[in-house]
Amino acid sequence: MFGVRQRPLLFALIALLAVVVPAPACPFCNSTGQTLTGDLNQASMVLYGKMQKGKDDTTDLVVEAVIKDHEFRKGATTINLGRNFEPNPNDQYRYVVFCDIFKGKLDPFRGFAVKVDKDGKNDVATYLKGALKVKDGKPGERLRFFFDYLDNEELEVSNDALKEFGNADYKDYRDMAKSLPADKIAGWLDDKNTPSYRYGLYASLLGHCGTAKHAKQLREMLENEDKPVMGGLDGIIAAYTMLSPKEGKAYIEKVVKDPKKDFMVRYAALRALRFCWQYRTDLVSQKEIAECAAPLIAQKDIADLAIEDLRKWGRWEMADRVLAVRDTEAYKTPIVRRAVLRYALRCKDNAKIDTYLKEQRAKDPEGVKQAEELLELTESPVTPPTPPS
């Protein structure tokens, strides 16, 4: 526990973090970070080709494609990289090399190898040229380009396309996804070779362009006990709700009411509710979302997360249920007690809440004060509570 003398430093750090607004990101993607497009933007020149031995124990790049040119090259088809990269002797690979030009000298700062087919071909150069071409386009147009490479055989390409979606906001692809080939995406979800970390995005895309048969496929994935989904479960639940709102809501209710369900399953249902709250109240109303989350309040391993969400959503009609947690095993957990206190500090015009806060201030005035100050720092300015709908 932080002492009184440590608090100013703690609050200063939190205040610094609070002003850093996280970049929008796809709610169902695990792959984010720097993309090849980002590297293309930073590089002065990007070349693709075959490596061979050069002079003085250095390596030459025999240029087969120019992805981003620079006057330094002067049209040359062979570039000395100034270093020894030990090229593959069997001619099975080509190399993408990102270069800077510093004080008139070549500085290759990144490179990777891609395997080519029997004809010496690979999609990476075409992909990178296309990515460079659409880099300044509208988000939906850019993501439509990257969609076509999500299942590319070259892992460097398919993972980069996935990362482009991971860095995008849901709003960037919502409209675009409506015209995607649903059966193709459904095939990806049905393919045993598809990594589970891709399920969330694929299901989300399918939720916009799919039909009743695809809703059935998603439900079967959710209920397949012989092969339980190990990744992207929140995206599958959300997609099922997109295609069948009534049935999707009923499925979420079934999951959250069963404390015997694995934590990750219940947490995935809560994440799907968060998605609906933030983006798709056209599927499930705010009041229904809060009611769906309410059974989690009394479940020891997830109560704090549900209470935190209810506070952020401004669902003050849940105050009695939140206070009732004090009579459960969950309240013995410090993190749950803090969540209840934080909820109470934001809830206004409630006599029971006022009584509870009076008790807490008498029992632990320093703890209540810290909670108040932390809330002000991390959630300031506070959005006015959303009225029950």
Side-chain angles (χ1 to χ4, degrees), residues 28 170 173 177 199-208 235-236 239 242 275:
F28 305 119
Y170 168 71
Y173 69 81
Y199 285 173
L201 173 63
Y202 290 173
S204 176
L205 296 176
L206 185 60
H208 295 81
I236 298 173
M242 288 184 221
F275 167 77

Side-chain angles (χ1 to χ4, degrees), residues 166-197:
N167 290 340
D169 189 0
Y170 168 71
K171 296 175 183 177
D172 293 339
Y173 69 81
R174 176 177 175 176
D175 290 336
M176 179 276 293
K178 295 176 183 178
S179 60
L180 292 176
D183 286 341
K184 181 176 183 177
I185 301 171
W188 293 346
L189 287 170
D190 199 42
D191 187 343
K192 64 181 182 180
N193 294 317
T194 298
S196 60
Y197 63 80

Side-chain angles (χ1 to χ4, degrees), residues 276-278 280-292 310 313 315 317-318 385-389:
C276 290
W277 179 274
Q278 185 172 358
R280 299 302 302 270
T281 51
D282 58 313
L283 301 173
V284 186
S285 72
Q286 290 183 337
K287 182 177 181 180
E288 290 174 317
I289 292 171
E291 288 289 345
C292 282
L310 291 172
W313 297 341
R315 304 314 299 196
E317 76 276 15
M318 294 288 176
T386 304
S389 60

Side-chain angles (χ1 to χ4, degrees), residues 75-339:
T77 56
T78 300
I79 298 288
N80 184 265
L81 299 178
R83 304 177 190 176
N84 183 1
F85 290 99
E86 298 182 2
N88 182 273
N90 298 322
D91 201 29
Q92 295 179 327
Y93 293 86
R94 295 295 184 269
Y95 299 83
V96 179
V97 183
F98 296 79
C99 306
D100 274 337
I101 311 299
F102 183 69
K103 293 184 178 181
K105 293 185 178 181
L106 188 72
D107 178 22
F109 67 89
R110 184 190 171 185
F112 60 87
V114 292
K115 197 168 184 177
V116 295
D117 61 21
K118 61 181 180 180
D119 297 319
K121 296 181 179 180
N122 184 285
D123 288 339
V124 69
T126 302
Y127 172 75
L128 291 175
K129 287 181 179 179
L132 198 59
K133 187 178 295 185
V134 302
K135 74 179 182 69
D136 296 322
K138 295 180 179 179
E141 295 172 355
R142 292 185 65 254
L143 292 173
R144 183 61 185 85
F145 166 80
F146 292 112
F147 171 83
D148 289 331
Y149 288 91
L150 283 172
D151 63 338
N152 193 269
E153 292 183 359
E154 173 53 54
L155 197 60
E156 193 79 40
V157 169
S158 62
N159 281 344
D160 187 70
L162 183 67
K163 199 179 294 184
E164 289 283 353
F165 275 90
N167 290 340
D169 189 0
Y170 168 71
K171 296 175 183 177
D172 293 339
Y173 69 81
R174 176 177 175 176
D175 290 336
M176 179 276 293
K178 295 176 183 178
S179 60
L180 292 176
D183 286 341
K184 181 176 183 177
I185 301 171
W188 293 346
L189 287 170
D190 199 42
D191 187 343
K192 64 181 182 180
N193 294 317
T194 298
S196 60
Y197 63 80
R198 290 175 174 258
Y199 285 173
L201 173 63
Y202 290 173
S204 176
L205 296 176
L206 185 60
H208 295 81
C209 58
T211 61
K213 71 174 183 178
H214 301 116
K216 181 180 178 182
Q217 177 185 358
L218 293 171
R219 184 61 184 251
E220 289 173 351
M221 290 182 69
L222 292 172
E223 296 184 337
N224 189 342
E225 296 182 358
D226 294 329
K227 186 183 177 183
V229 176
M230 301 303 293
L233 188 57
D234 52 349
I236 298 173
I237 296 173
Y240 179 56
T241 306
M242 288 184 221
L243 294 177
S244 300
K246 183 177 179 180
E247 291 78 8
K249 174 176 170 288
Y251 177 81
I252 293 174
E253 289 174 329
K254 178 183 176 182
V255 169
V256 300
K257 288 179 180 178
D258 185 0
K260 294 181 180 179
K261 287 282 188 184
D262 185 83
F263 168 83
M264 294 307 298
V265 176
R266 286 174 288 132
Y267 181 53
L270 180 59
R271 283 175 54 84
L273 289 174
R274 291 173 180 172
F275 167 77
C276 290
W277 179 274
Q278 185 172 358
Y279 299 108
R280 299 302 302 270
T281 51
D282 58 313
L283 301 173
V284 186
S285 72
Q286 290 183 337
K287 182 177 181 180
E288 290 174 317
I289 292 171
E291 288 289 345
C292 282
L296 299 174
I297 295 174
Q299 297 173 21
K300 185 176 181 179
D301 59 347
I302 201 171
D304 61 300
L305 299 177
I307 295 170
E308 288 284 303
D309 283 334
L310 291 172
R311 186 194 80 249
K312 293 173 184 176
W313 297 341
R315 304 314 299 196
W316 312 130
E317 76 276 15
M318 294 288 176
D320 287 352
R321 291 197 230 186
V322 171
L323 289 179
V325 175
R326 292 178 297 170
D327 300 323
T328 70
E329 284 291 313
Y331 197 67
K332 294 180 180 180
T333 306
I335 195 171
V336 175
R337 292 199 297 272
R338 286 195 292 270

